[in-house]
Every structure is written in structure tokens, then in C-alpha cells.
Amino acid sequence: MKKNKSEIEFICPLCKTIERIPTEIVEMLDYADQIGVDTSVPPRFDCENCTGKMVPIYYVGANGKIFEYKK
Ligand SMILES: [Zn+2]
């Protein structure tokens, strides 16, 4: 089974800003989101530079689903 690294790289689809977020924080949010919500979307963060939502470039989700950002 694939595993995450210690940090996840997130990218803003609008301004292409890249930010590293510790995996434990991403997973905490991801696991907290598993109840009653759409689990087909990865955890996202507000971009600090624009109104975009940063998405993971590569992330293995709580239920084993792999998210990959397609450039
Ligand atoms: Zn942005």
C-alpha cells in the first residue's frame, strides 16, 4: 500500500503557488471529514495569495484513494 511522505505538496490551481503541509495535519483534516461528506475530494486549503483552493499534488487519502493533481 502506498504511503504519504512526511509532508504533502499542495498547489494552487489559479496562481500555481506551492506549499508544503505536514502530512499529520492533512490526514487529521481528511479523517475528520470522513463522516457524511463527499470523500472523493481531497483536503484543500485556502491559498494565501489569491482566492483559490490549494489541492494536493500527490496524496493518499484516508480511505486509500490516491489524489493526483494534473497539470
Ligand atoms: Zn492562489
Side-chain angles (χ1 to χ4, degrees):
M1 185 169 165
K2 299 210 175 206
K3 287 243 178 150
N4 291 308
K5 295 177 184 165
S6 60
E7 289 183 323
I8 307 292
E9 276 189 330
F10 278 70
I11 186 167
C12 174
L14 299 182
C15 67
K16 311 297 182 196
T17 297
I18 289 179
E19 194 171 322
R20 289 169 176 271
I21 312 240
T23 301
E24 57 187 80
I25 295 187
V26 181
E27 289 184 338
M28 198 176 67
L29 286 171
D30 194 12
Y31 282 70
D33 275 356
Q34 293 301 304
I35 305 152
V37 294
D38 184 2
T39 55
S40 64
V41 292
R44 286 172 292 182
F45 293 91
D46 291 329
C47 178
E48 292 180 357
N49 299 314
C50 75
T51 57
K53 290 274 188 190
M54 305 188 83
V55 295
I57 293 175
Y58 184 87
Y59 172 63
V60 183
N63 50 12
K65 183 171 170 58
I66 294 170
F67 299 104
E68 269 185 295
Y69 176 73
K70 306 283 193 299
K71 289 176 192 175

